[in-house]
Amino acid sequence: MINTGLTSFRVNGSKEWGSLIALEGGKEIPFDIKRVYYIYDVEQTVRRGFHSHNDLEQMLVCVHGSVKILVKTPFAEEVVTLDSPDKGLYIGPMIWREMFDWENGAVLLVMASKHYDEKDYIRNYDQYAEQAKVYFESRCEK
Ligand code: T46
């Protein structure tokens, strides 16, 4: 789907010493990282998200446990399971997202291309769908 995709990170490690993953802005992460936050202690039945961003890029990594992410546009939708620290889900602008089915103890780490700005959120789905149709149609891709 345009503006979102799953990626695998290179693991430095061995059975003897354990594993290390290094992520750098402009390299493994396709933008300069301006902000990092993490979500944890979420009950399994809780569903979060329910919004899109006008102009924000993010990389989501479940560094412990697992969580499912629904990524959706007016034209397509997909559920991605993040269940390993070596998997990253890139989410670009104008993608609706919902996070659900949290495994007990799951920690979701997010790297973002911009500082926090509530004005960048679109939290109403009908309003999002209207704007997203214009956005994706102007790019001639669905
Ligand atoms: C996203 C998904 C994956 C801040 O003060 N600073 C921050 O950087 C963030 C991300 C949030 N907040 C405050 C705003 C709310 O009062 O923390 C509270 C919870 O935020 P929100 O309800 O937006 O959380 P989620 O889990 O629905 O969404 C978050 C991100 O906001 C969002 O950008 O893509 O995680």
Side-chain angles (χ1 to χ4, degrees), residues 95-132:
I95 299 285
W96 188 263
R97 82 285 318 263
E98 294 171 22
M99 300 88 81
F100 64 102
D101 200 6
W102 299 78
E103 188 186 329
N104 188 27
V107 181
L108 180 65
L109 175 82
V110 183
M111 289 156 273
S113 63
K114 297 200 167 170
H115 292 152
Y116 176 70
D117 178 7
E118 183 57 37
K119 293 194 292 298
D120 187 61
Y121 284 72
I122 311 168
R123 294 191 184 271
N124 175 286
Y125 187 80
D126 293 341
Q127 190 189 329
Y128 159 73
E130 218 171 280
Q131 285 180 230

PDB file of all heavy atoms in Angstrom, residues 95-132:
ATOM      1  N   ILE A  95      -2.287   8.169   6.317  1.00  0.00           N
ATOM      2  CA  ILE A  95      -2.650   6.768   6.557  1.00  0.00           C
ATOM      3  C   ILE A  95      -3.376   6.689   7.898  1.00  0.00           C
ATOM      4  O   ILE A  95      -2.841   7.113   8.926  1.00  0.00           O
ATOM      5  CB  ILE A  95      -1.396   5.846   6.605  1.00  0.00           C
ATOM      6  CG1 ILE A  95      -0.621   5.887   5.273  1.00  0.00           C
ATOM      7  CG2 ILE A  95      -1.774   4.426   6.996  1.00  0.00           C
ATOM      8  CD1 ILE A  95      -1.250   5.131   4.130  1.00  0.00           C
ATOM      9  N   TRP A  96      -4.584   6.141   7.870  1.00  0.00           N
ATOM     10  CA  TRP A  96      -5.337   5.908   9.108  1.00  0.00           C
ATOM     11  C   TRP A  96      -4.708   4.720   9.827  1.00  0.00           C
ATOM     12  O   TRP A  96      -4.327   3.741   9.190  1.00  0.00           O
ATOM     13  CB  TRP A  96      -6.781   5.599   8.744  1.00  0.00           C
ATOM     14  CG  TRP A  96      -7.703   5.526   9.930  1.00  0.00           C
ATOM     15  CD1 TRP A  96      -8.105   4.397  10.595  1.00  0.00           C
ATOM     16  CD2 TRP A  96      -8.365   6.628  10.570  1.00  0.00           C
ATOM     17  NE1 TRP A  96      -8.963   4.735  11.609  1.00  0.00           N
ATOM     18  CE2 TRP A  96      -9.141   6.090  11.623  1.00  0.00           C
ATOM     19  CE3 TRP A  96      -8.363   8.009  10.356  1.00  0.00           C
ATOM     20  CZ2 TRP A  96      -9.915   6.878  12.455  1.00  0.00           C
ATOM     21  CZ3 TRP A  96      -9.137   8.804  11.196  1.00  0.00           C
ATOM     22  CH2 TRP A  96      -9.901   8.234  12.235  1.00  0.00           C
ATOM     23  N   ARG A  97      -4.546   4.789  11.151  1.00  0.00           N
ATOM     24  CA  ARG A  97      -3.957   3.666  11.886  1.00  0.00           C
ATOM     25  C   ARG A  97      -4.699   3.384  13.195  1.00  0.00           C
ATOM     26  O   ARG A  97      -5.202   4.301  13.843  1.00  0.00           O
ATOM     27  CB  ARG A  97      -2.466   3.875  12.156  1.00  0.00           C
ATOM     28  CG  ARG A  97      -2.002   4.726  13.343  1.00  0.00           C
ATOM     29  CD  ARG A  97      -2.155   6.210  13.151  1.00  0.00           C
ATOM     30  NE  ARG A  97      -1.782   6.709  11.852  1.00  0.00           N
ATOM     31  CZ  ARG A  97      -0.600   7.247  11.558  1.00  0.00           C
ATOM     32  NH1 ARG A  97       0.307   7.342  12.479  1.00  0.00           N
ATOM     33  NH2 ARG A  97      -0.368   7.741  10.364  1.00  0.00           N
ATOM     34  N   GLU A  98      -4.763   2.078  13.506  1.00  0.00           N
ATOM     35  CA  GLU A  98      -5.320   1.640  14.794  1.00  0.00           C
ATOM     36  C   GLU A  98      -4.412   0.532  15.330  1.00  0.00           C
ATOM     37  O   GLU A  98      -3.992  -0.338  14.564  1.00  0.00           O
ATOM     38  CB  GLU A  98      -6.749   1.101  14.593  1.00  0.00           C
ATOM     39  CG  GLU A  98      -7.724   2.190  14.145  1.00  0.00           C
ATOM     40  CD  GLU A  98      -9.088   1.657  13.717  1.00  0.00           C
ATOM     41  OE1 GLU A  98      -9.469   0.543  14.116  1.00  0.00           O
ATOM     42  OE2 GLU A  98      -9.775   2.389  12.962  1.00  0.00           O
ATOM     43  N   MET A  99      -4.087   0.573  16.625  1.00  0.00           N
ATOM     44  CA  MET A  99      -3.222  -0.424  17.230  1.00  0.00           C
ATOM     45  C   MET A  99      -4.066  -1.266  18.185  1.00  0.00           C
ATOM     46  O   MET A  99      -4.782  -0.709  19.027  1.00  0.00           O
ATOM     47  CB  MET A  99      -2.084   0.253  18.010  1.00  0.00           C
ATOM     48  CG  MET A  99      -1.182   1.144  17.169  1.00  0.00           C
ATOM     49  SD  MET A  99      -1.814   2.820  17.060  1.00  0.00           S
ATOM     50  CE  MET A  99      -1.270   3.503  18.611  1.00  0.00           C
ATOM     51  N   PHE A 100      -3.982  -2.595  18.055  1.00  0.00           N
ATOM     52  CA  PHE A 100      -4.857  -3.451  18.864  1.00  0.00           C
ATOM     53  C   PHE A 100      -4.205  -4.814  19.122  1.00  0.00           C
ATOM     54  O   PHE A 100      -3.136  -5.093  18.596  1.00  0.00           O
ATOM     55  CB  PHE A 100      -6.221  -3.623  18.172  1.00  0.00           C
ATOM     56  CG  PHE A 100      -6.155  -4.350  16.841  1.00  0.00           C
ATOM     57  CD1 PHE A 100      -6.507  -5.684  16.736  1.00  0.00           C
ATOM     58  CD2 PHE A 100      -5.721  -3.704  15.690  1.00  0.00           C
ATOM     59  CE1 PHE A 100      -6.439  -6.351  15.527  1.00  0.00           C
ATOM     60  CE2 PHE A 100      -5.639  -4.368  14.469  1.00  0.00           C
ATOM     61  CZ  PHE A 100      -5.998  -5.690  14.396  1.00  0.00           C
ATOM     62  N   ASP A 101      -4.894  -5.635  19.915  1.00  0.00           N
ATOM     63  CA  ASP A 101      -4.424  -6.988  20.257  1.00  0.00           C
ATOM     64  C   ASP A 101      -3.025  -6.953  20.867  1.00  0.00           C
ATOM     65  O   ASP A 101      -2.106  -7.617  20.391  1.00  0.00           O
ATOM     66  CB  ASP A 101      -4.469  -7.884  19.003  1.00  0.00           C
ATOM     67  CG  ASP A 101      -4.486  -9.363  19.370  1.00  0.00           C
ATOM     68  OD1 ASP A 101      -4.579  -9.674  20.575  1.00  0.00           O
ATOM     69  OD2 ASP A 101      -4.390 -10.206  18.470  1.00  0.00           O
ATOM     70  N   TRP A 102      -2.893  -6.175  21.920  1.00  0.00           N
ATOM     71  CA  TRP A 102      -1.601  -6.000  22.603  1.00  0.00           C
ATOM     72  C   TRP A 102      -1.280  -7.231  23.434  1.00  0.00           C
ATOM     73  O   TRP A 102      -2.056  -7.600  24.317  1.00  0.00           O
ATOM     74  CB  TRP A 102      -1.663  -4.783  23.524  1.00  0.00           C
ATOM     75  CG  TRP A 102      -1.923  -3.504  22.819  1.00  0.00           C
ATOM     76  CD1 TRP A 102      -3.130  -3.047  22.357  1.00  0.00           C
ATOM     77  CD2 TRP A 102      -0.966  -2.504  22.480  1.00  0.00           C
ATOM     78  NE1 TRP A 102      -2.979  -1.819  21.757  1.00  0.00           N
ATOM     79  CE2 TRP A 102      -1.650  -1.462  21.829  1.00  0.00           C
ATOM     80  CE3 TRP A 102       0.419  -2.372  22.678  1.00  0.00           C
ATOM     81  CZ2 TRP A 102      -1.011  -0.315  21.362  1.00  0.00           C
ATOM     82  CZ3 TRP A 102       1.049  -1.239  22.219  1.00  0.00           C
ATOM     83  CH2 TRP A 102       0.346  -0.226  21.569  1.00  0.00           C
ATOM     84  N   GLU A 103      -0.135  -7.822  23.176  1.00  0.00           N
ATOM     85  CA  GLU A 103       0.309  -8.915  24.036  1.00  0.00           C
ATOM     86  C   GLU A 103       0.704  -8.310  25.388  1.00  0.00           C
ATOM     87  O   GLU A 103       1.227  -7.188  25.443  1.00  0.00           O
ATOM     88  CB  GLU A 103       1.524  -9.606  23.403  1.00  0.00           C
ATOM     89  CG  GLU A 103       1.948 -10.872  24.106  1.00  0.00           C
ATOM     90  CD  GLU A 103       3.232 -11.438  23.521  1.00  0.00           C
ATOM     91  OE1 GLU A 103       3.475 -11.258  22.323  1.00  0.00           O
ATOM     92  OE2 GLU A 103       3.994 -12.051  24.289  1.00  0.00           O
ATOM     93  N   ASN A 104       0.469  -9.074  26.455  1.00  0.00           N
ATOM     94  CA  ASN A 104       0.830  -8.598  27.791  1.00  0.00           C
ATOM     95  C   ASN A 104       2.322  -8.228  27.822  1.00  0.00           C
ATOM     96  O   ASN A 104       3.159  -9.027  27.429  1.00  0.00           O
ATOM     97  CB  ASN A 104       0.522  -9.717  28.800  1.00  0.00           C
ATOM     98  CG  ASN A 104       0.676  -9.239  30.216  1.00  0.00           C
ATOM     99  OD1 ASN A 104       0.519  -8.042  30.490  1.00  0.00           O
ATOM    100  ND2 ASN A 104       1.007 -10.143  31.114  1.00  0.00           N
ATOM    101  N   GLY A 105       2.646  -7.002  28.222  1.00  0.00           N
ATOM    102  CA  GLY A 105       4.051  -6.575  28.308  1.00  0.00           C
ATOM    103  C   GLY A 105       4.589  -5.957  27.029  1.00  0.00           C
ATOM    104  O   GLY A 105       5.763  -5.576  26.982  1.00  0.00           O
ATOM    105  N   ALA A 106       3.750  -5.834  25.996  1.00  0.00           N
ATOM    106  CA  ALA A 106       4.233  -5.285  24.718  1.00  0.00           C
ATOM    107  C   ALA A 106       4.693  -3.830  24.880  1.00  0.00           C
ATOM    108  O   ALA A 106       4.070  -3.038  25.607  1.00  0.00           O
ATOM    109  CB  ALA A 106       3.130  -5.369  23.663  1.00  0.00           C
ATOM    110  N   VAL A 107       5.778  -3.501  24.195  1.00  0.00           N
ATOM    111  CA  VAL A 107       6.294  -2.122  24.191  1.00  0.00           C
ATOM    112  C   VAL A 107       6.436  -1.695  22.722  1.00  0.00           C
ATOM    113  O   VAL A 107       7.204  -2.294  21.963  1.00  0.00           O
ATOM    114  CB  VAL A 107       7.675  -2.025  24.878  1.00  0.00           C
ATOM    115  CG1 VAL A 107       8.161  -0.573  24.876  1.00  0.00           C
ATOM    116  CG2 VAL A 107       7.620  -2.564  26.301  1.00  0.00           C
ATOM    117  N   LEU A 108       5.677  -0.680  22.341  1.00  0.00           N
ATOM    118  CA  LEU A 108       5.723  -0.182  20.963  1.00  0.00           C
ATOM    119  C   LEU A 108       6.531   1.119  20.941  1.00  0.00           C
ATOM    120  O   LEU A 108       6.130   2.127  21.533  1.00  0.00           O
ATOM    121  CB  LEU A 108       4.301   0.072  20.444  1.00  0.00           C
ATOM    122  CG  LEU A 108       4.205   0.604  19.009  1.00  0.00           C
ATOM    123  CD1 LEU A 108       4.719  -0.436  18.002  1.00  0.00           C
ATOM    124  CD2 LEU A 108       2.763   0.974  18.665  1.00  0.00           C
ATOM    125  N   LEU A 109       7.669   1.061  20.249  1.00  0.00           N
ATOM    126  CA  LEU A 109       8.555   2.226  20.125  1.00  0.00           C
ATOM    127  C   LEU A 109       8.257   2.918  18.793  1.00  0.00           C
ATOM    128  O   LEU A 109       8.118   2.245  17.763  1.00  0.00           O
ATOM    129  CB  LEU A 109      10.015   1.747  20.142  1.00  0.00           C
ATOM    130  CG  LEU A 109      11.077   2.808  19.901  1.00  0.00           C
ATOM    131  CD1 LEU A 109      11.351   3.556  21.201  1.00  0.00           C
ATOM    132  CD2 LEU A 109      12.365   2.171  19.397  1.00  0.00           C
ATOM    133  N   VAL A 110       8.157   4.239  18.826  1.00  0.00           N
ATOM    134  CA  VAL A 110       7.845   4.983  17.597  1.00  0.00           C
ATOM    135  C   VAL A 110       8.871   6.098  17.393  1.00  0.00           C
ATOM    136  O   VAL A 110       9.144   6.884  18.312  1.00  0.00           O
ATOM    137  CB  VAL A 110       6.423   5.591  17.654  1.00  0.00           C
ATOM    138  CG1 VAL A 110       6.084   6.306  16.349  1.00  0.00           C
ATOM    139  CG2 VAL A 110       5.379   4.523  17.955  1.00  0.00           C
ATOM    140  N   MET A 111       9.447   6.145  16.186  1.00  0.00           N
ATOM    141  CA  MET A 111      10.331   7.246  15.794  1.00  0.00           C
ATOM    142  C   MET A 111       9.555   8.128  14.825  1.00  0.00           C
ATOM    143  O   MET A 111       8.894   7.608  13.907  1.00  0.00           O
ATOM    144  CB  MET A 111      11.580   6.679  15.099  1.00  0.00           C
ATOM    145  CG  MET A 111      12.515   5.970  16.064  1.00  0.00           C
ATOM    146  SD  MET A 111      13.558   4.747  15.250  1.00  0.00           S
ATOM    147  CE  MET A 111      12.497   3.302  15.310  1.00  0.00           C
ATOM    148  N   ALA A 112       9.626   9.446  15.028  1.00  0.00           N
ATOM    149  CA  ALA A 112       8.798  10.356  14.230  1.00  0.00           C
ATOM    150  C   ALA A 112       9.654  11.445  13.588  1.00  0.00           C
ATOM    151  O   ALA A 112      10.695  11.844  14.134  1.00  0.00           O
ATOM    152  CB  ALA A 112       7.723  10.981  15.124  1.00  0.00           C
ATOM    153  N   SER A 113       9.185  11.931  12.446  1.00  0.00           N
ATOM    154  CA  SER A 113       9.956  12.915  11.671  1.00  0.00           C
ATOM    155  C   SER A 113       9.756  14.350  12.163  1.00  0.00           C
ATOM    156  O   SER A 113      10.454  15.251  11.717  1.00  0.00           O
ATOM    157  CB  SER A 113       9.566  12.831  10.195  1.00  0.00           C
ATOM    158  OG  SER A 113       8.195  13.182  10.033  1.00  0.00           O
ATOM    159  N   LYS A 114       8.763  14.554  13.057  1.00  0.00           N
ATOM    160  CA  LYS A 114       8.488  15.919  13.530  1.00  0.00           C
ATOM    161  C   LYS A 114       8.189  15.924  15.019  1.00  0.00           C
ATOM    162  O   LYS A 114       7.824  14.894  15.586  1.00  0.00           O
ATOM    163  CB  LYS A 114       7.281  16.511  12.793  1.00  0.00           C
ATOM    164  CG  LYS A 114       7.547  16.656  11.307  1.00  0.00           C
ATOM    165  CD  LYS A 114       6.609  17.636  10.674  1.00  0.00           C
ATOM    166  CE  LYS A 114       7.152  17.974   9.278  1.00  0.00           C
ATOM    167  NZ  LYS A 114       6.228  18.722   8.470  1.00  0.00           N
ATOM    168  N   HIS A 115       8.299  17.080  15.624  1.00  0.00           N
ATOM    169  CA  HIS A 115       7.889  17.237  17.016  1.00  0.00           C
ATOM    170  C   HIS A 115       6.372  17.080  17.117  1.00  0.00           C
ATOM    171  O   HIS A 115       5.655  17.200  16.120  1.00  0.00           O
ATOM    172  CB  HIS A 115       8.318  18.609  17.543  1.00  0.00           C
ATOM    173  CG  HIS A 115       9.805  18.751  17.658  1.00  0.00           C
ATOM    174  ND1 HIS A 115      10.454  19.949  17.563  1.00  0.00           N
ATOM    175  CD2 HIS A 115      10.775  17.820  17.842  1.00  0.00           C
ATOM    176  CE1 HIS A 115      11.756  19.753  17.688  1.00  0.00           C
ATOM    177  NE2 HIS A 115      11.978  18.479  17.856  1.00  0.00           N
ATOM    178  N   TYR A 116       5.896  16.833  18.333  1.00  0.00           N
ATOM    179  CA  TYR A 116       4.466  16.632  18.546  1.00  0.00           C
ATOM    180  C   TYR A 116       3.680  17.895  18.194  1.00  0.00           C
ATOM    181  O   TYR A 116       4.025  18.996  18.612  1.00  0.00           O
ATOM    182  CB  TYR A 116       4.224  16.265  20.014  1.00  0.00           C
ATOM    183  CG  TYR A 116       2.767  16.128  20.354  1.00  0.00           C
ATOM    184  CD1 TYR A 116       2.015  15.068  19.860  1.00  0.00           C
ATOM    185  CD2 TYR A 116       2.130  17.071  21.161  1.00  0.00           C
ATOM    186  CE1 TYR A 116       0.678  14.940  20.166  1.00  0.00           C
ATOM    187  CE2 TYR A 116       0.786  16.948  21.477  1.00  0.00           C
ATOM    188  CZ  TYR A 116       0.069  15.877  20.965  1.00  0.00           C
ATOM    189  OH  TYR A 116      -1.260  15.758  21.258  1.00  0.00           O
ATOM    190  N   ASP A 117       2.605  17.711  17.427  1.00  0.00           N
ATOM    191  CA  ASP A 117       1.758  18.839  17.041  1.00  0.00           C
ATOM    192  C   ASP A 117       0.327  18.326  16.850  1.00  0.00           C
ATOM    193  O   ASP A 117       0.024  17.669  15.849  1.00  0.00           O
ATOM    194  CB  ASP A 117       2.279  19.450  15.725  1.00  0.00           C
ATOM    195  CG  ASP A 117       1.406  20.602  15.250  1.00  0.00           C
ATOM    196  OD1 ASP A 117       0.487  21.002  15.997  1.00  0.00           O
ATOM    197  OD2 ASP A 117       1.647  21.089  14.135  1.00  0.00           O
ATOM    198  N   GLU A 118      -0.530  18.622  17.804  1.00  0.00           N
ATOM    199  CA  GLU A 118      -1.912  18.120  17.747  1.00  0.00           C
ATOM    200  C   GLU A 118      -2.621  18.584  16.476  1.00  0.00           C
ATOM    201  O   GLU A 118      -3.518  17.904  15.969  1.00  0.00           O
ATOM    202  CB  GLU A 118      -2.675  18.533  19.023  1.00  0.00           C
ATOM    203  CG  GLU A 118      -4.112  18.016  19.136  1.00  0.00           C
ATOM    204  CD  GLU A 118      -4.279  16.492  19.066  1.00  0.00           C
ATOM    205  OE1 GLU A 118      -3.422  15.755  19.599  1.00  0.00           O
ATOM    206  OE2 GLU A 118      -5.282  16.031  18.465  1.00  0.00           O
ATOM    207  N   LYS A 119      -2.213  19.720  15.910  1.00  0.00           N
ATOM    208  CA  LYS A 119      -2.869  20.251  14.696  1.00  0.00           C
ATOM    209  C   LYS A 119      -2.621  19.369  13.474  1.00  0.00           C
ATOM    210  O   LYS A 119      -3.322  19.469  12.470  1.00  0.00           O
ATOM    211  CB  LYS A 119      -2.365  21.679  14.402  1.00  0.00           C
ATOM    212  CG  LYS A 119      -2.793  22.704  15.447  1.00  0.00           C
ATOM    213  CD  LYS A 119      -2.590  24.138  14.977  1.00  0.00           C
ATOM    214  CE  LYS A 119      -1.120  24.519  14.840  1.00  0.00           C
ATOM    215  NZ  LYS A 119      -0.331  24.453  16.114  1.00  0.00           N
ATOM    216  N   ASP A 120      -1.599  18.496  13.549  1.00  0.00           N
ATOM    217  CA  ASP A 120      -1.302  17.620  12.413  1.00  0.00           C
ATOM    218  C   ASP A 120      -2.205  16.375  12.383  1.00  0.00           C
ATOM    219  O   ASP A 120      -2.215  15.632  11.414  1.00  0.00           O
ATOM    220  CB  ASP A 120       0.171  17.190  12.466  1.00  0.00           C
ATOM    221  CG  ASP A 120       0.581  16.414  11.231  1.00  0.00           C
ATOM    222  OD1 ASP A 120       0.509  16.987  10.130  1.00  0.00           O
ATOM    223  OD2 ASP A 120       0.922  15.219  11.359  1.00  0.00           O
ATOM    224  N   TYR A 121      -2.982  16.155  13.473  1.00  0.00           N
ATOM    225  CA  TYR A 121      -3.824  14.947  13.561  1.00  0.00           C
ATOM    226  C   TYR A 121      -5.148  15.167  12.836  1.00  0.00           C
ATOM    227  O   TYR A 121      -5.728  16.243  12.891  1.00  0.00           O
ATOM    228  CB  TYR A 121      -4.154  14.638  15.019  1.00  0.00           C
ATOM    229  CG  TYR A 121      -3.018  14.023  15.824  1.00  0.00           C
ATOM    230  CD1 TYR A 121      -1.911  14.782  16.198  1.00  0.00           C
ATOM    231  CD2 TYR A 121      -3.075  12.697  16.238  1.00  0.00           C
ATOM    232  CE1 TYR A 121      -0.892  14.222  16.958  1.00  0.00           C
ATOM    233  CE2 TYR A 121      -2.052  12.133  17.000  1.00  0.00           C
ATOM    234  CZ  TYR A 121      -0.970  12.902  17.355  1.00  0.00           C
ATOM    235  OH  TYR A 121       0.034  12.348  18.104  1.00  0.00           O
ATOM    236  N   ILE A 122      -5.641  14.100  12.183  1.00  0.00           N
ATOM    237  CA  ILE A 122      -7.029  14.079  11.692  1.00  0.00           C
ATOM    238  C   ILE A 122      -7.695  12.945  12.457  1.00  0.00           C
ATOM    239  O   ILE A 122      -7.375  11.768  12.237  1.00  0.00           O
ATOM    240  CB  ILE A 122      -7.112  13.809  10.182  1.00  0.00           C
ATOM    241  CG1 ILE A 122      -6.162  14.715   9.401  1.00  0.00           C
ATOM    242  CG2 ILE A 122      -8.551  13.983   9.687  1.00  0.00           C
ATOM    243  CD1 ILE A 122      -5.988  14.306   7.948  1.00  0.00           C
ATOM    244  N   ARG A 123      -8.590  13.285  13.390  1.00  0.00           N
ATOM    245  CA  ARG A 123      -9.138  12.266  14.288  1.00  0.00           C
ATOM    246  C   ARG A 123     -10.567  11.849  13.927  1.00  0.00           C
ATOM    247  O   ARG A 123     -11.125  10.945  14.547  1.00  0.00           O
ATOM    248  CB  ARG A 123      -9.066  12.749  15.744  1.00  0.00           C
ATOM    249  CG  ARG A 123      -7.621  12.900  16.262  1.00  0.00           C
ATOM    250  CD  ARG A 123      -7.600  13.111  17.752  1.00  0.00           C
ATOM    251  NE  ARG A 123      -6.258  13.343  18.285  1.00  0.00           N
ATOM    252  CZ  ARG A 123      -5.429  12.384  18.704  1.00  0.00           C
ATOM    253  NH1 ARG A 123      -5.810  11.133  18.647  1.00  0.00           N
ATOM    254  NH2 ARG A 123      -4.235  12.683  19.193  1.00  0.00           N
ATOM    255  N   ASN A 124     -11.149  12.509  12.922  1.00  0.00           N
ATOM    256  CA  ASN A 124     -12.504  12.156  12.488  1.00  0.00           C
ATOM    257  C   ASN A 124     -12.391  11.378  11.172  1.00  0.00           C
ATOM    258  O   ASN A 124     -11.821  11.877  10.201  1.00  0.00           O
ATOM    259  CB  ASN A 124     -13.305  13.450  12.298  1.00  0.00           C
ATOM    260  CG  ASN A 124     -14.677  13.179  11.732  1.00  0.00           C
ATOM    261  OD1 ASN A 124     -14.825  12.863  10.552  1.00  0.00           O
ATOM    262  ND2 ASN A 124     -15.686  13.292  12.569  1.00  0.00           N
ATOM    263  N   TYR A 125     -12.936  10.121  11.130  1.00  0.00           N
ATOM    264  CA  TYR A 125     -12.693   9.278   9.948  1.00  0.00           C
ATOM    265  C   TYR A 125     -13.328   9.862   8.684  1.00  0.00           C
ATOM    266  O   TYR A 125     -12.717   9.813   7.610  1.00  0.00           O
ATOM    267  CB  TYR A 125     -13.169   7.828  10.156  1.00  0.00           C
ATOM    268  CG  TYR A 125     -12.734   6.999   8.958  1.00  0.00           C
ATOM    269  CD1 TYR A 125     -11.430   6.526   8.861  1.00  0.00           C
ATOM    270  CD2 TYR A 125     -13.603   6.770   7.880  1.00  0.00           C
ATOM    271  CE1 TYR A 125     -10.989   5.840   7.736  1.00  0.00           C
ATOM    272  CE2 TYR A 125     -13.165   6.076   6.748  1.00  0.00           C
ATOM    273  CZ  TYR A 125     -11.853   5.616   6.688  1.00  0.00           C
ATOM    274  OH  TYR A 125     -11.411   4.952   5.567  1.00  0.00           O
ATOM    275  N   ASP A 126     -14.526  10.413   8.768  1.00  0.00           N
ATOM    276  CA  ASP A 126     -15.182  10.948   7.568  1.00  0.00           C
ATOM    277  C   ASP A 126     -14.376  12.104   6.985  1.00  0.00           C
ATOM    278  O   ASP A 126     -14.189  12.207   5.767  1.00  0.00           O
ATOM    279  CB  ASP A 126     -16.606  11.416   7.883  1.00  0.00           C
ATOM    280  CG  ASP A 126     -17.494  10.239   8.231  1.00  0.00           C
ATOM    281  OD1 ASP A 126     -17.130   9.102   7.876  1.00  0.00           O
ATOM    282  OD2 ASP A 126     -18.541  10.449   8.877  1.00  0.00           O
ATOM    283  N   GLN A 127     -13.894  12.958   7.865  1.00  0.00           N
ATOM    284  CA  GLN A 127     -13.055  14.084   7.427  1.00  0.00           C
ATOM    285  C   GLN A 127     -11.752  13.562   6.811  1.00  0.00           C
ATOM    286  O   GLN A 127     -11.299  14.036   5.759  1.00  0.00           O
ATOM    287  CB  GLN A 127     -12.753  14.945   8.651  1.00  0.00           C
ATOM    288  CG  GLN A 127     -12.108  16.271   8.343  1.00  0.00           C
ATOM    289  CD  GLN A 127     -11.641  16.941   9.642  1.00  0.00           C
ATOM    290  OE1 GLN A 127     -12.250  16.758  10.701  1.00  0.00           O
ATOM    291  NE2 GLN A 127     -10.565  17.697   9.562  1.00  0.00           N
ATOM    292  N   TYR A 128     -11.179  12.522   7.455  1.00  0.00           N
ATOM    293  CA  TYR A 128      -9.954  11.906   6.923  1.00  0.00           C
ATOM    294  C   TYR A 128     -10.205  11.360   5.513  1.00  0.00           C
ATOM    295  O   TYR A 128      -9.426  11.600   4.582  1.00  0.00           O
ATOM    296  CB  TYR A 128      -9.469  10.768   7.850  1.00  0.00           C
ATOM    297  CG  TYR A 128      -8.563   9.815   7.116  1.00  0.00           C
ATOM    298  CD1 TYR A 128      -7.255  10.190   6.786  1.00  0.00           C
ATOM    299  CD2 TYR A 128      -9.017   8.565   6.664  1.00  0.00           C
ATOM    300  CE1 TYR A 128      -6.441   9.351   6.035  1.00  0.00           C
ATOM    301  CE2 TYR A 128      -8.212   7.725   5.927  1.00  0.00           C
ATOM    302  CZ  TYR A 128      -6.924   8.127   5.620  1.00  0.00           C
ATOM    303  OH  TYR A 128      -6.119   7.307   4.857  1.00  0.00           O
ATOM    304  N   ALA A 129     -11.309  10.595   5.349  1.00  0.00           N
ATOM    305  CA  ALA A 129     -11.572   9.928   4.071  1.00  0.00           C
ATOM    306  C   ALA A 129     -11.700  10.959   2.946  1.00  0.00           C
ATOM    307  O   ALA A 129     -11.175  10.756   1.835  1.00  0.00           O
ATOM    308  CB  ALA A 129     -12.830   9.069   4.174  1.00  0.00           C
ATOM    309  N   GLU A 130     -12.371  12.050   3.238  1.00  0.00           N
ATOM    310  CA  GLU A 130     -12.535  13.119   2.243  1.00  0.00           C
ATOM    311  C   GLU A 130     -11.176  13.680   1.812  1.00  0.00           C
ATOM    312  O   GLU A 130     -10.875  13.774   0.622  1.00  0.00           O
ATOM    313  CB  GLU A 130     -13.353  14.234   2.896  1.00  0.00           C
ATOM    314  CG  GLU A 130     -14.352  14.909   1.981  1.00  0.00           C
ATOM    315  CD  GLU A 130     -15.248  15.824   2.807  1.00  0.00           C
ATOM    316  OE1 GLU A 130     -16.198  15.310   3.441  1.00  0.00           O
ATOM    317  OE2 GLU A 130     -14.959  17.020   2.826  1.00  0.00           O
ATOM    318  N   GLN A 131     -10.333  13.996   2.800  1.00  0.00           N
ATOM    319  CA  GLN A 131      -9.011  14.569   2.503  1.00  0.00           C
ATOM    320  C   GLN A 131      -8.101  13.548   1.832  1.00  0.00           C
ATOM    321  O   GLN A 131      -7.322  13.876   0.940  1.00  0.00           O
ATOM    322  CB  GLN A 131      -8.331  15.054   3.795  1.00  0.00           C
ATOM    323  CG  GLN A 131      -8.897  16.344   4.325  1.00  0.00           C
ATOM    324  CD  GLN A 131      -8.175  16.768   5.606  1.00  0.00           C
ATOM    325  OE1 GLN A 131      -8.823  17.075   6.589  1.00  0.00           O
ATOM    326  NE2 GLN A 131      -6.867  16.768   5.612  1.00  0.00           N
ATOM    327  N   ALA A 132      -8.202  12.275   2.264  1.00  0.00           N
ATOM    328  CA  ALA A 132      -7.309  11.236   1.733  1.00  0.00           C
ATOM    329  C   ALA A 132      -7.627  10.948   0.267  1.00  0.00           C
ATOM    330  O   ALA A 132      -6.718  10.692  -0.532  1.00  0.00           O
ATOM    331  CB  ALA A 132      -7.436   9.964   2.568  1.00  0.00           C
TER     332      ALA A 132
END
